[in-house]
Amino acid sequence: MTISLHQVEGLLKENKLLKEFIYNNEWHYNLPVEDKTLTHLSYDSRDVSSETLFFCKGASFKAEYLMAAMSQGLSVYVSEMPFEVNGGLGIIVTDIRKAMALISMAFYDDPQTKLKVVAFTGTKGKTTSAYFLKYILDEFNQHKTAMFSTMNSTLDGKTYFKSHLTTPESMDLYRMMAQAVDNKMTHLVMEVSSQAYKLNRVYKLMFDVGIFLNISPDHISPIEHPTFDDYYYCKRQLIQHSKHFIVNKETKDVALILEEAQDRNIPTLTYSSHDKSATYYWEKGENASSFSVEAQEDVLDLCDHYELSLMGDFNKDNALASLMAARLLGVDIDSCKKGLEQAIVPGRMEKLIQKNGSTVYIDYAHNKVSLTSLLGFAKNEHQDGKIITVIGSTGDKATSRRKDFGDVLNEYTDIVFLTSDDPGYEDPVMIINEISQYITNKDVIQHIVIDREEAIKQALDLATSHDTVILAGKGRDLYQKIQGRDVPYLGDYTIAENHILKKP
């Protein structure tokens, strides 16, 4: 993979991102040096050479990082501001993240054009929907589907690794796409977060199919989205970057989405759990995991009966969205049925039974909507006993969730164990106390157990035969984010399973 300085110049000028070049402390609009081929991109000052194009990215970037890179032989950097450094060529741009996205796309030879790329966005359901579609596509293309997901990512369709961001930084995104192409993948399923658009990680990336699952207030904080309007606006950027668009007709203010899609001439289909005016809707089947797809006009030849391995009506919404995307990609109905029936989502609605008969659900639910769906399902399915919930909230982001969780727990749980969940640089006790103050229902019994493993064990031991234990937030996640480190963690499912097996 290579890119020349002349290519960089042309890209930046074409997209009106170039401010100036700086060379020998003189400013120029045209490239002031001989052309040079660069063989490496980086935004890490420890990962540079004389052939690296280095991006000075991030609000906390400091001049000493650039100086350290230049001491390692770096000679070309891209930045939003000039730095007083000796030597080297400075490429000064109006937006470093947009510049990095476009240059990365070109450097890795436009890998997105060699894959069928599908994007899911929404407040909840992105991971589940991505897994559903991956299983369907794997049936269709003999396991040649890459996936970028919150929980796990794969570049070869089989080997998974932990994702640090829901949507990777643009440079990493295109590097991973290029590797997927090298691995002979034909399709890519990815989750696109609101931050991906706010921070231009997917700037000018077009998707073959874009799916808008739902929207509700989340990620509202000083370091993410200042308002719900900003959050919703960022999510809606997917519309104009989709060749085909699918939207849940029950989405808040869906008229806004449909108007924008129509105005931009984006072919759009809708789906619903009950609204028969949608392009497609589903109806319950003979058991909790079966459903049928219905339509007034079956434009995708999709109407049929389907089976899921996951329970919960909210999973049928995700399944229908994935089925519609698959049909738009030309997947046959047989592959749709087989893939969906086999789909397993790590940490999503996984079920264990204790020796005394009590039920345990493990789910990654980590915002208000997903927690409401999870606890609402459990309360409806298990009406004879108590609901015992183990939950915490992340640090450093999405601080609005703490009140949201309190509100949901007030209505749907009988006993709650408040514990740690990726506290980051925050004090987990402070996070827990903040959730606790919003639990105003005096009938909800609260237990505060900082150690998550211990909280899970105590909740399991407390449950009687008719009770239901909900482990919310971590699923099979193998790390806790603590003080800037990924600290190894067994995962909620493994902790629960091990404890149940050890009990007499």
Side-chain angles (χ1 to χ4, degrees):
M1 304 297 180
T2 63
I3 194 167
S4 70
L5 286 177
H6 273 311
Q7 283 180 280
V8 172
E9 178 185 28
L11 269 175
L12 296 178
K13 285 183 176 179
E14 179 186 349
N15 290 276
K16 298 179 173 54
L17 290 171
L18 180 67
K19 288 167 69 176
E20 64 265 347
F21 293 99
I22 297 181
Y23 185 67
N24 288 336
N25 293 318
E26 294 182 351
W27 293 23
H28 303 266
Y29 184 69
N30 295 316
L31 184 66
V33 297
E34 290 186 6
D35 197 16
K36 176 179 180 178
T37 297
L38 301 161
T39 61
H40 181 53
L41 304 182
S42 178
Y43 54 81
D44 183 344
S45 59
R46 298 163 296 183
D47 176 32
V48 297
S49 72
S50 60
E51 296 185 345
T52 297
L53 180 60
F54 179 68
F55 295 90
C56 305
K57 175 190 74 71
S60 59
F61 187 85
K62 299 176 182 177
E64 52 255 43
Y65 300 155
L66 177 58
M67 294 172 68
M70 295 185 78
S71 70
Q72 301 298 314
L74 180 77
S75 62
V76 186
Y77 69 90
V78 184
S79 172
E80 286 183 2
M81 59 177 289
F83 286 99
E84 292 185 7
V85 291
N86 294 321
L89 173 69
I91 305 173
I92 313 305
V93 297
T94 58
D95 190 309
I96 186 69
R97 290 183 176 275
K98 289 181 179 179
M100 187 168 76
L102 290 173
I103 292 169
S104 298
M105 194 184 294
F107 180 84
Y108 289 105
D109 195 24
D110 296 310
Q112 75 281 2
T113 64
K114 302 162 189 172
L115 297 160
K116 290 292 184 182
V117 187
V118 181
F120 288 96
T121 200
T123 303
K124 70 162 185 167
K126 294 189 295 296
T127 299
T128 301
S129 301
Y131 267 91
F132 284 166
L133 184 55
K134 184 187 186 307
Y135 271 85
I136 291 169
L137 288 171
D138 280 345
E139 277 292 319
F140 175 69
N141 64 20
Q142 291 75 52
H143 299 272
K144 294 178 181 176
T145 310
M147 181 173 70
F148 302 162
S149 166
T150 303
M151 291 301 294
N152 287 304
S153 292
T154 178
L155 307 181
D156 62 5
K158 304 173 215 171
T159 309
Y160 290 84
F161 57 92
K162 169 70 177 173
S163 307
H164 291 285
L165 294 169
T166 298
T167 311
E169 293 283 4
S170 60
M171 185 190 302
D172 304 317
L173 177 69
Y174 291 107
R175 173 182 52 78
M176 291 161 66
M177 277 191 193
Q179 191 171 336
V181 171
D182 289 343
N183 290 336
K184 310 301 182 187
M185 297 295 102
T186 58
H187 293 74
L188 167 63
V189 179
M190 61 183 289
E191 301 176 35
V192 177
S193 65
S194 56
Q195 288 290 296
Y197 277 112
K198 190 171 182 68
L199 300 178
N200 289 305
R201 293 176 191 153
V202 288
Y203 180 66
K204 289 207 171 181
L205 174 59
M206 289 298 298
F207 299 100
D208 292 282
V209 183
I211 303 101
F212 198 108
L213 297 169
N214 46 65
I215 192 78
S216 60
D218 195 25
H219 293 287
I220 313 300
S221 73
I223 60 171
E224 293 175 287
H225 298 281
T227 62
F228 176 69
D229 174 66
D230 182 68
Y231 175 58
Y232 200 171
Y233 175 73
C234 288
K235 289 280 191 191
R236 294 202 317 272
Q237 299 306 297
L238 181 63
I239 301 171
Q240 62 183 292
H241 293 98
S242 300
K243 298 174 186 175
H244 294 273
F245 187 65
I246 298 169
V247 61
N248 185 344
K249 202 166 184 185
E250 296 164 45
T251 299
K252 175 180 170 58
D253 296 317
V254 72
L256 169 63
I257 292 175
L258 294 174
E259 286 172 16
E260 182 173 350
Q262 183 177 18
D263 191 66
R264 294 183 183 277
N265 296 313
I266 310 297
T268 301
L269 300 174
T270 61
Y271 70 96
S272 174
S273 61
H274 64 273
D275 187 342
K276 296 184 179 181
S277 69
T279 313
Y280 286 98
Y281 59 96
W282 62 264
E283 292 188 347
K284 293 184 178 182
E286 296 177 355
N287 55 59
S289 58
S290 66
F291 66 100
S292 63
V293 173
E294 308 288 344
Q296 301 298 327
E297 182 181 355
D298 192 1
V299 294
L300 297 177
D301 194 21
L302 186 59
C303 292
D304 211 324
H305 297 281
Y306 299 87
E307 290 283 339
L308 273 174
S309 61
L310 299 184
M311 294 177 291
D313 287 351
F314 50 92
N315 283 320
K316 293 166 187 170
D317 286 345
N318 300 328
L320 178 51
S322 300
L323 288 168
M324 292 170 69
R327 290 296 287 156
L328 283 171
L329 293 170
V331 178
D332 60 279
I333 288 293
D334 191 46
S335 294
C336 287
K337 284 188 162 188
K338 287 181 180 177
L340 199 59
E341 190 172 354
Q342 295 170 13
I344 298 170
V345 186
R348 290 290 190 188
M349 284 303 289
E350 296 195 88
K351 181 179 177 181
L352 294 169
I353 302 294
Q354 295 211 78
K355 292 173 184 176
N356 68 357
S358 62
T359 304
V360 183
Y361 291 108
I362 302 96
D363 192 89
Y364 188 63
H366 60 287
N367 57 44
K368 185 175 184 177
V369 181
S370 56
L371 185 64
T372 301
S373 297
L374 173 62
L375 294 184
F377 165 80
K379 203 170 184 70
N380 184 62
E381 290 289 313
H382 306 277
Q383 300 181 13
D384 296 337
K386 292 183 174 63
I387 303 294
I388 303 171
T389 305
V390 178
I391 193 169
S393 189
T394 54
D396 307 327
K397 65 177 184 178
T399 53
S400 60
R401 288 178 184 168
R402 299 166 196 182
K403 180 182 184 304
D404 291 343
F405 289 168
D407 293 341
V408 177
L409 294 166
N410 281 330
E411 186 173 354
Y412 289 103
T413 200
D414 300 290
I415 301 168
V416 61
F417 284 80
L418 297 173
T419 188
S420 297
D421 182 346
D422 291 338
Y425 288 99
E426 289 194 61
D427 181 352
V429 177
M430 298 290 288
I431 298 172
I432 288 168
N433 288 339
E434 195 170 341
I435 301 171
S436 177
Q437 74 179 8
Y438 292 115
I439 302 175
T440 55
N441 183 345
K442 302 302 181 185
D443 293 331
V444 177
I445 299 171
Q446 297 186 48
H447 298 275
I448 292 178
V449 183
I450 307 300
D451 184 276
R452 190 174 182 94
E453 182 171 352
E454 182 59 29
I456 290 170
K457 291 176 179 178
Q458 289 189 25
L460 294 173
D461 291 344
L462 186 64
T464 63
S465 59
H466 294 291
D467 295 340
T468 303
V469 179
I470 305 292
L471 309 182
K474 295 294 290 180
R476 288 182 181 259
D477 192 350
L478 297 178
Y479 298 92
Q480 285 264 27
K481 294 185 181 298
I482 301 171
Q483 295 296 317
R485 293 175 54 239
D486 284 342
V487 178
Y489 174 69
L490 281 175
D492 288 359
Y493 184 93
T494 301
I495 291 168
E497 184 180 46
N498 290 347
H499 190 63
I500 289 169
L501 290 173
K502 288 178 183 176
K503 292 174 76 170

